[in-house]
Structure formats: structure tokens, C-alpha cells
Amino acid sequence: MSIDLSRSPLAVGSNVEVRPALTRADRERFVRLPWRIYAADPCWVPPLLLERREFIDPRKHPFFRHGAAMPLLAWRRGEPVGRIMAADDPRFNAHHRDNAGCFGLFESNDDPATAHALLDAAAQWLVRRGRTRMLGPIDYSTNYPCGLLIDGFDTPARFMMNHNPPYYRGLLESWGLTKAKDLYAWWLNTAENRIHVWRSRVERLVARSGATVRPLRRGDLAAELVRLQAIYNEAWRNNWGGVPMSEAEFQHLAKHLARLAVPELLLVAEADGQVVGCSLTLPDFNEAIGPLNGCLFRYGLPIGVWKLLRGLKRIRTARLLALGVIEPYRRRGIAEMLILRTFDYATQVRGYTGAELSWTLEDNTLINRTIEAVGGRRYKTYRIFQRPIGPVAK
């Protein structure tokens, strides 16, 4: 099946057409399509439309300074029925000595013809850029939301984590995609944990290591961000699928999160006069974002902004989205101490009742055992798929 990715539509079978979303109107349709898919799903959290528009805008998102991406819409009888984003990150391929591209932001009705047409189009766009393998779902890189939910559909999506219908797995596998790696999400309930069991042991280990843990210093924010980026890129550089964030990407992410983040939940570990680890925990902003149905403004008034500010004060859960310690400071209780300090502040000061720790690689035994040791329960699994693409794969 040949797919023309020019501006003009091309039928690709079963009355489905795939077109690049290049116009402002089509990009808006691309952003709003999930509202069609999830209209009856109570666990889907509508994202902020403003943020989604910026995420796919080459003029505003820093990924496009080094990478390329193409948003694609599937149409049937004049109505959009699916979408996908094909992305090419040269930094990923240079880092891993690979030749892969990614697909992300995948949405489709329960129709193999639609899903296959979208995946075909994404694959052909990547092949034209010389890529021979496709991974996904990955939104640009693993520094952004990635993975297809394959179990744990009965709980709400947490901030910056994916959610999808159960039938998506069958759509992807029917196109020939196979498992590349599973990612785990863990839940830590404040009423059911084992932190008290190992608190004294962890404190002894950290005392022997000479490490200290402190919150991010807002008064020295520029220097702190430099330290955090260095730790983030070093601690995760050898992880499967990991790719160092560019300075522009890290600054962009920090700018957006710093407005609403709680400094006491952004922790830094120091030892031997240097930063050796960090943990980044955010309130689950989805609790406040969900009721807005994507809109901050209505009738020209900041009604959604008012609701968001009120909702932020009522958040009772969190997401620990990054926990890393560099070698050779691992296995010294530092990661456990970062969790401990986060837990204490979150429960005793903020009044949180639970938190998601996500995501971890399925074969990251060290961190998975650490989370299990403190009472974390694995409650969601996300899968990244892969398939060869190009003439050889046909």
C-alpha cells in the first residue's frame, strides 16, 4: 500500500484517507480528536488544549530545534477518525547507534483499517527519512509521555502519563508491532506502606555515606536547573530508550512545571561536595485539570483559570516522575532516603493520600525492588512496541 504524504488526500482503503495536519484548522482537529475517542471513558483526563497546541507547534516546542515530526490525520467520509505523530530524533539514534523513528499521540476508533492506514503513513514518512525501525507509542522521545497502557484501565491517568482504550493493543499488534519493552507504574498508598520498617536502616546507610538531602533552592534556580539537568542526563543516559534532554528541552519543561511545583517535593542529594541524585515529585495536576475539559477561558473570561487555581488547592495525590542516583553512589540508601523525605512532606504537610511512582523499566531490578520495599504496588503496565519498516519489512 503506497501512501502519498503530500497535502492532497489519498484513499488508502476502506474509505480511509490519511493527510498531514498542516493547516491551522487541521492541527486543531488533531488536538481535539481525543474528545471523540474518550467521550464515555471516566478514567481519561482531558488535557489543556493550550498545552496540546504548543506541544505539536514547531515554532514553540524545543524538540523541533534538533528533531522533526509530522502530525497525520485519518479521515472517513469527511470526518477525522484517527491521528498519529511520526517523529525522528537524531539525538536518539546517535546516542544508541540506532536507526529508529517513533510514532506517538496515536488515537483511533476501533477499526483496524484506520489504525493500519495511520501506522503505514507514519512508517513511510520515517522511511523517507532513512529510518529502518519504528518504535512507539513515544511522543518525540522517552523524555515525554510514552507507552501504550495494557493493564490498569480502571484508574485515572496521572499527570503526564498516557491512557488509552483496551482495544488499542489489538490494533497495534494486528499491524505487526511486537513488544520492545514494558514500563511499570506503581502506587504507594499512605495508609498501606512499609516505610516504617526500613526508616532507621535507611537513615543509618545515608549517615555512613555522608549524603544529605535538601529541597530545590528557588533563590538559586538557574544554577539548580543546571545541576538537575546534569544529574538527569547522567543517571538515565544508559537506560533502555533513554536520550539526554537538550538544554532547551530541559529549560522548557522546567519553566512550565516551576510555576506550579512544590519546592519541598523537588529534592537534591549531595555527597562529597557534589550533587549525586535527585527526585522530582509533582502534585497530580490532573485532579485540577480534569474538570476544565481542556479550556482555561470561556466566553472571553478566565473561568477555567479560576477553577484551576481553586482545584490546585484540593489536590490529594502526587506523581513521583523522576528518581535517580549516579554511579558510584547507588546502593547507599540515597534513593530510599529521597523517597522517605518525599513521603514525609507529602503526607505530613500536604495531606496527600497516595502517589504514583512512574515509570520504571521492567528490568530495572534495583529501582523496582526499592519501590516494592517501601510498599509500592505495581498497578499499571505500559508497553512500547517495535517493527522493522522500509522495503525489507514488506
Side-chain angles (χ1 to χ4, degrees), residues 139-346:
D139 297 353
Y140 300 149
S141 77
T142 55
N143 294 315
Y144 303 98
C146 59
L148 188 86
L149 186 66
I150 62 171
D151 68 53
F153 300 96
D154 57 344
T155 53
R158 301 297 165 178
F159 185 61
M160 295 176 66
M161 291 295 287
N162 286 337
H163 181 77
N164 54 262
Y167 67 78
Y168 275 21
R169 179 178 179 177
L171 293 179
L172 297 189
E173 291 178 341
S174 67
W175 189 72
L177 286 159
T178 59
K179 173 185 171 180
K181 188 72 68 172
D182 280 352
L183 317 174
Y184 294 158
W186 306 77
W187 186 255
L188 184 63
N189 193 316
T190 58
E192 301 172 4
N193 62 79
R194 296 192 293 272
I195 286 181
H196 64 282
V197 174
W198 54 265
R199 179 184 293 271
S200 60
R201 174 179 174 273
V202 169
E203 290 176 344
R204 287 195 303 271
L205 281 172
V206 173
R208 283 201 297 268
S209 72
T212 58
V213 173
R214 62 169 176 82
L216 192 74
R217 298 181 184 128
R218 277 194 182 271
D220 192 24
L221 187 58
E224 289 282 67
L225 290 178
V226 171
R227 298 181 190 109
L228 285 179
Q229 182 184 355
I231 287 296
Y232 180 88
N233 286 340
E234 178 61 27
W236 282 271
R237 67 180 296 107
N238 294 323
N239 277 7
W240 180 93
V243 56
M245 292 188 85
S246 69
E247 182 177 353
E249 287 180 296
F250 197 86
Q251 293 288 338
H252 180 266
L253 178 63
K255 181 184 74 173
H256 280 69
L257 299 184
R259 299 171 185 168
L260 301 174
V262 179
E264 291 80 5
L265 294 176
L266 307 177
L267 302 180
V268 172
E270 296 177 316
D272 301 327
Q274 63 177 326
V275 175
V276 300
C278 67
S279 66
L280 308 177
T281 302
L282 296 172
D284 182 17
F285 297 133
N286 276 5
E287 288 189 35
I289 291 172
L292 307 182
N293 198 32
C295 298
L296 289 176
F297 294 86
R298 292 183 184 276
Y299 314 111
L301 298 174
I303 296 174
V305 177
W306 297 334
K307 290 183 178 180
L308 176 63
L309 294 175
R310 186 172 65 231
L312 291 174
K313 299 177 182 179
R314 300 175 179 175
I315 293 175
R316 286 296 173 266
T317 59
R319 179 186 168 214
L320 195 160
L321 72 159
L323 173 67
V325 178
I326 63 172
E327 293 282 7
Y329 294 91
R330 295 172 181 170
R331 299 177 180 85
R332 298 189 183 185
I334 296 175
E336 290 87 343
M337 179 56 72
L338 288 165
I339 295 176
L340 178 61
R341 294 290 173 81
T342 299
F343 179 86
D344 287 346
Y345 186 85

Side-chain angles (χ1 to χ4, degrees), residues 37-150:
I37 304 295
Y38 298 98
D41 189 341
C43 292
W44 179 67
V45 179
L48 292 176
L49 288 165
L50 186 68
E51 186 275 332
R52 290 289 84 188
R53 294 182 189 117
E54 182 177 292
F55 189 77
I56 67 169
D57 191 337
R59 299 167 301 175
K60 296 182 178 180
H61 199 283
F63 170 80
F64 291 92
R65 299 186 190 180
H66 65 266
M70 175 63 73
L72 300 160
L73 275 173
W75 297 77
R76 178 180 281 115
R77 302 183 185 91
E79 293 291 330
V81 292
R83 74 176 195 185
I84 199 168
M85 176 76 86
D88 184 15
D89 184 0
R91 290 168 59 90
F92 172 90
N93 287 308
H95 186 70
H96 291 280
R97 298 181 180 179
D98 203 343
N99 191 29
C102 297
F103 74 91
L105 298 174
F106 173 82
E107 305 287 0
S108 173
N109 57 7
D110 192 3
D111 173 49
T114 299
H116 294 181
L118 287 165
L119 292 162
D120 281 339
Q124 289 199 22
W125 184 84
L126 291 169
V127 167
R128 292 180 182 182
R129 297 181 64 86
R131 302 309 178 199
T132 58
R133 187 165 74 105
M134 188 162 77
L135 293 162
I138 297 173
D139 297 353
Y140 300 149
S141 77
T142 55
N143 294 315
Y144 303 98
C146 59
L148 188 86
L149 186 66
I150 62 171

